[in-house]
Amino acid sequence: MGIPSRMMWFAFSAIALGMLLSPVARAAPPASGISAKRVATPDIKAMLGEVYASKKPVGFEQLDVTPIVSRYLPVGLSRAQVLAAFKGIDSAHVVEQASGALIVRDDRGRAMFDPDARSILMTFRFDGAGMLTGVQAIHMKNQ
């Protein structure tokens, strides 16, 4: 290992150690689109499991589950990242896809055949650059 690569290794180690020890660096959202691309793919199966394990809606009740969905799909993700997160989830499908919004519905069970059939309706809002600016999600009985 030459001197320049050894110095780069020390510099990288110092930066990594500083980021690990700094709570501000861990809590800060991505500042640019470049760093947002490095965000790991959210675990949507865990998110859906957490929502379905939460309080069950009764009748026509609609429960706000935005805080749960926002934890897994935080503001700042790109539209492509949100869409990619739902790939491979058979129960989830895109209901509407407009330039500023994306509506995804996940159905658990079939209304006439399953007494515990429920759905999650998630609305994602995007800015002109295609970055997530807002999330709204409701948990309801599948009618």
Side-chain angles (χ1 to χ4, degrees), residues 19 22-32 35 39 74-75:
M19 290 179 73
S22 170
V24 174
R26 282 184 271 141
S32 69
S35 59
V39 174
V75 169

Side-chain angles (χ1 to χ4, degrees), residues 19-104:
M19 290 179 73
L20 286 172
L21 296 177
S22 170
V24 174
R26 282 184 271 141
S32 69
I34 294 171
S35 59
K37 291 179 184 174
R38 295 183 186 156
V39 174
T41 303
D43 187 0
I44 298 301
K45 288 183 182 181
M47 178 192 76
L48 296 174
E50 187 175 339
V51 171
Y52 287 125
S54 67
K55 183 182 173 198
K56 294 180 182 180
V58 179
F60 291 103
E61 181 180 26
Q62 295 182 351
L63 303 173
D64 183 22
V65 291
T66 301
I68 297 172
V69 175
S70 294
R71 250 186 299 131
Y72 288 89
L73 296 164
V75 169
L77 292 178
S78 70
R79 179 185 206 90
Q81 287 174 310
V82 173
L83 283 169
F86 286 100
K87 284 194 185 215
I89 307 295
D90 295 332
S91 59
H93 58 278
V94 175
V95 175
E96 185 178 328
Q97 194 169 2
S99 62
L102 176 69
I103 300 174
V104 178

